[in-house]
């Protein structure tokens, strides 16, 4: 019996691996095993995906899992060229049962054929490869971090990233690594920016002279000095850049790189579970600050300082002294805000921040307290509104959309909101290329069976397989979501019975998810003492306004 194989491989480009070369040698190993029992008829190859990412979150691996469920799939088994590339940690134990459930065998060169689900030896071998993959990644990370620490401390090398405000990058010649130099990589050092450098010196001088952080921000904004986000708009398009903030002043005053020494390891990357209730979803990477004792300082001064060491240390002592000598231990507490990210200030249009007060959630905007506005923007000092005053009226309004008089209109809007997934032109073209390559490969197999020179067919096949692999990297995993009919939507609404009671009793996270799916936006205008609520379901927008009796302090909402 001829077995039809689907090849799976993976390559990460973090360490400048060549995707084509990696795919070729993995495919060669897979063919050496599969060709004795059948032929590889499908290919799934992930490019630029870390091995630590679970199969469900890798585009091509996810597409392979989706293809498993199709009764008309064109393969009977999955073959991998190297298990360390395909499986990391416990990924084998999570993936293999799915393959077995759909009657698809897994073939790996290390066991000389198909993995036997009843064999303890096979299970042990595959588990060992998963552990080896995890250990290899850990060793690479340790080696890289150790090397970077040595380069920062001993050589004082600039290790990448954006230069701090007040400096710019200066070319320092070819990269020290010959391979990277051959690719055109260059070394860089920091040099003072002729415009921003004097501003850094001014900030330290004024702070040591007795001015506070906010006063310095006010003075810079009043003098028309561009803030860091306005000075470098290419990297800070997500910020307004309208004025200097206290945070920007504080970051400059605490940055030791202004003393001329290179400092590395101020932050670290931690991998945290996406969902503690579902470990199979894997981890996500988050940046977190390291303790000052863990920072790596260069032994020598490696670039021109903007501040002498004594002035920098005096600034740190002053900032510490503002705590009046008391050591504070802060414990971060996770608070539940139903309207997190949905409430906007009607004056500055910025999102209002959550503030827990009197055991209840509030939302506030302290724009003037954070930015030196120099009287350019008329803004109350503290715009403040309570969540518990907004929710009852908001839930009542949303429930009104499901009242008998509005139900038909609401159901129609919800039905229209069911849009098909947007088609990516590049992915669509790549999928067409894959189909064309499959057609060519089928013709080549027919030609081989008809007696065409095998060497000639092999050349054709290698070229088409290369094109197919490149196209597969751009094809996204298909996602199919069946559309609900109007009757099905109405049945779901009817099953809820009292929508208002459901909203009121809903879990905080569930209610927040509903608001976001509705496209809810709340705008609080303190000068009018109104809250404007807007939702957007499909092509149908709705709006509603309510009026609170206060503007800078929380008060109950009143009906129109």
């Amino acid at each position: 019996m001829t077995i039809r194989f689907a090849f799976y491989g993976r390559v990460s480009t973090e360490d400048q691996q060549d995707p084509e070369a990696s795919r070729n040698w993995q495919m060669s190993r897979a063919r050496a095993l599969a060709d004795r029992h059948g032929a590889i008829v499908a290919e799934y190859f992930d490019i630029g995906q870390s091995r630590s990412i679970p199969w469900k979150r890798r585009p091509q691996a996810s597409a392979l899992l989706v293809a498993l469920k199709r009764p008309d799939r064109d393969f009977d088994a999955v073959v991998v060229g190297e298990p360390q590339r395909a499986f990391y940690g416990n990924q084998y134990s999570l993936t293999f049962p799915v393959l077995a459930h759909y009657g698809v065998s897994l073939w790996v060169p290390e066991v000389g054929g198909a993995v036997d689900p009843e064999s303890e030896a096979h299970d042990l071998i595959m588990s060992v490869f998963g552990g080896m993959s995890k250990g290899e990644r850990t060793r690479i990370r340790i080696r890289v971090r150790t090397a970077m620490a040595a380069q920062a401390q001993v050589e004082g090398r600039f290790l990448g990233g954006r230069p701090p405000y007040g400096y710019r990058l200066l070319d320092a010649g070819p990269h020290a690594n010959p391979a990277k130099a051959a690719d055109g990589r260059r070394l860089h050092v920091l040099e003072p920016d002729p415009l921003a450098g004097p501003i850094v010196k001014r900030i330290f001088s004024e702070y040591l002279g007795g001015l506070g952080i906010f006063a310095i921000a006010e003075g810079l904004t009043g003098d028309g000095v561009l803030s860091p986000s306005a000075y470098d708009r290419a990297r800070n398009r997500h910020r307004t850049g309208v004025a200097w903030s206290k945070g920007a002043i504080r970051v400059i005053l605490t940055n030791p790189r202004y003393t001329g020494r290179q400092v590395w390891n101020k932050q670290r990357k931690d991998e945290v579970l996406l969902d503690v209730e579902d470990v199979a979803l894997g981890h996500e990477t988050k940046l977190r600050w390291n303790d000052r004792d863990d920072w790596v300082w260069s032994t020598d001064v490696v670039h021109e300082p903007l501040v002498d060491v004594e002035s920098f240390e005096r600034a740190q002592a002053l900032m510490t002294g503002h705590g009046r000598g008391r050591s504070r231990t802060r414990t971060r507490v996770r608070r539940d805000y139903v309207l997190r990210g949905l409430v906007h200030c009607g004056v500055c249009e910025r999102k209002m921040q959550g503030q827990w007060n009197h055991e209840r959630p509030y939302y506030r905007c302290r724009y003037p307290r954070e930015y030196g506005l120099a009287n350019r923007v008329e803004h109350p000092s503290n715009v403040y509104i309570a969540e518990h005053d907004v929710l009852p009226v908001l839930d009542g309004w949303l429930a009104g959309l499901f009242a008998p008089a509005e139900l038909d209109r609401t159901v129609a809007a919800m039905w229209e909101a069911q849009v098909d997934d947007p088609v990516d032109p590049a992915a669509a073209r790549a999928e067409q290329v894959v189909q064309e390559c499959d057609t060519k490969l089928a013709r080549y197999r027919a030609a081989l069976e008809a007696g065409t020179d095998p060497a000639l067919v092999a050349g054709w096949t290698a070229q088409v397989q290369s094109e197919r692999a490149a196209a597969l990297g751009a094809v996204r995993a298909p996602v199919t979501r069946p559309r609900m009919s109007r009757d099905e939507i109405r049945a779901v609404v009817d099953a809820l019975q009292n929508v208002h009671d459901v909203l009121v009793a809903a879990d905080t996270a569930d209610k927040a998810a509903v608001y976001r799916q509705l496209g809810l936006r709340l705008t609080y205008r303190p000068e009018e003492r109104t809250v404007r609520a807007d939702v957007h379901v499909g092509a149908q927008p709705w709006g509603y306004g309510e009026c609170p009796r206060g503007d800078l302090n929380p008060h109950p909402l009143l009906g129109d």
Side-chain angles (χ1 to χ4, degrees), residues 311-535:
S311 297
F312 180 79
E313 293 298 337
R314 284 173 55 205
Q316 307 318 297
L318 280 175
M319 298 193 76
T320 304
H322 289 167
R324 300 179 182 178
R326 297 176 296 176
S327 60
R328 300 180 181 180
T329 301
R330 296 185 178 182
T331 303
R332 293 184 63 87
V333 179
R334 177 72 179 183
R335 305 290 190 182
D336 292 326
Y337 294 92
V338 178
L339 303 176
R340 184 190 300 272
L342 304 180
V343 185
H344 294 72
C345 174
V347 180
C348 63
E349 298 299 326
R350 297 171 76 240
K351 291 181 180 179
M352 298 177 69
Q353 298 175 334
Q355 172 71 28
W356 202 262
N357 195 11
H358 303 299
E359 300 302 320
R360 287 184 171 184
Y362 293 79
Y363 300 89
R364 70 177 182 180
C365 179
R366 306 180 67 190
Y367 195 73
R369 292 179 179 268
E370 297 296 331
Y371 288 83
L373 297 177
N375 299 320
R376 292 188 177 188
V377 178
E378 295 183 3
H379 195 296
S381 61
N382 194 8
V383 177
Y384 202 50
I385 190 170
E387 183 180 278
H388 62 267
D389 286 336
V390 178
L391 287 183
V393 181
L394 177 63
D395 290 343
W397 171 58
L398 290 174
L401 299 178
F402 296 92
E406 294 287 338
L407 186 57
D408 289 341
R409 179 171 169 237
T410 302
V411 169
M414 295 174 69
W415 180 82
E416 292 176 359
Q418 299 180 102
V419 296
D420 296 328
D421 293 328
V423 177
D424 185 345
R429 173 55 187 160
E431 190 169 10
Q432 181 181 353
V433 171
V434 171
Q435 294 175 354
E436 293 173 354
C437 290
D438 289 340
T439 302
K440 291 180 181 178
L441 291 173
R443 291 203 303 266
Y444 296 161
R445 284 195 292 270
L448 183 61
E449 294 173 356
T452 305
D453 183 4
L456 184 60
V457 175
W460 298 343
T461 302
Q463 181 179 356
V464 173
Q465 286 283 17
S466 176
E467 296 176 1
R468 190 178 189 278
L472 276 173
V475 177
R476 297 179 178 177
V479 179
T480 57
R481 289 193 291 259
R483 293 173 61 91
M484 296 177 65
S485 66
R486 287 183 172 87
D487 291 339
E488 289 174 331
I489 296 174
R490 182 181 288 272
V492 172
V493 175
D494 291 341
L496 295 175
Q497 296 181 352
N498 192 319
V499 175
H500 181 269
D501 292 346
V502 171
L503 286 171
V504 171
D507 177 77
T508 300
D510 293 338
K511 183 182 289 190
V514 169
Y515 291 157
R516 282 167 176 75
Q517 291 172 5
L518 288 174
L520 175 66
R521 177 188 172 99
L522 299 174
T523 304
Y524 177 47
R525 298 191 177 278
E527 71 282 1
E528 300 174 2
R529 301 180 181 179
T530 60
V531 177
R532 171 78 184 182
D534 293 280
V535 297

Side-chain angles (χ1 to χ4, degrees), residues 285-300:
T285 301
K286 289 192 175 183
L287 279 176
R288 289 175 175 165
W289 288 98
N290 286 323
D291 294 334
R292 190 180 181 89
D293 293 339
D294 295 329
W295 295 1
V296 177
W297 297 63
S298 63
T299 305
D300 302 320

Side-chain angles (χ1 to χ4, degrees), residues 109-131:
E110 282 69 15
V111 300
V115 176
D116 184 357
E118 303 298 329
S119 172
E120 293 184 3
H122 285 190
D123 186 69
L124 178 60
I125 290 173
M126 295 304 297
S127 298
V128 167
F129 281 122

Side-chain angles (χ1 to χ4, degrees), residues 68-250:
L68 288 176
K69 305 174 184 179
R70 296 201 304 263
D72 60 341
R73 63 173 179 266
D74 56 357
F75 58 89
D76 312 301
V78 173
V79 59
V80 299
E82 185 184 51
Q84 295 99 313
R85 295 269 177 168
F87 302 108
Y88 170 90
N90 65 341
Q91 290 175 2
Y92 164 76
S93 62
L94 296 173
T95 306
F96 186 69
V98 178
L99 298 174
H101 174 78
Y102 290 104
V104 175
S105 57
L106 175 65
W107 291 57
V108 295
E110 282 69 15
V111 300
V115 176
D116 184 357
E118 303 298 329
S119 172
E120 293 184 3
H122 285 190
D123 186 69
L124 178 60
I125 290 173
M126 295 304 297
S127 298
V128 167
F129 281 122
M132 291 173 58
S133 178
K134 186 174 182 179
E136 180 183 353
R137 183 170 180 265
T138 301
R139 288 194 301 273
I140 290 175
R141 184 169 64 246
I142 293 174
R143 287 200 301 267
V144 169
R145 289 186 59 82
T146 303
M148 293 179 71
Q151 291 169 353
Q153 183 176 14
V154 179
E155 304 176 29
R157 184 185 298 183
F158 176 76
L159 297 176
R162 68 173 65 185
Y165 177 80
Y167 284 107
R168 64 185 183 183
L169 294 181
L170 177 67
D171 187 276
H175 199 281
N177 186 317
K180 294 182 178 180
D183 290 338
R185 302 282 293 276
R186 310 284 293 181
L187 292 178
H188 296 90
V189 295
L190 298 176
E191 69 167 359
D193 187 299
L195 297 179
I199 304 302
V200 173
K201 296 180 180 179
R202 169 180 167 175
I203 290 173
F204 274 91
S205 176
E206 292 182 351
Y207 186 70
L208 295 176
L211 285 183
I213 290 177
F214 185 78
I216 295 174
E218 278 283 298
L220 291 172
T221 303
D223 292 344
V225 178
L226 294 178
S227 66
S229 57
Y231 186 70
D232 188 1
R233 294 305 296 166
R235 293 190 180 98
N236 298 279
R237 295 177 181 176
H238 59 294
R239 300 184 182 275
T240 62
V242 66
W244 280 81
S245 70
K246 293 192 297 183
I249 302 296
R250 187 178 292 106

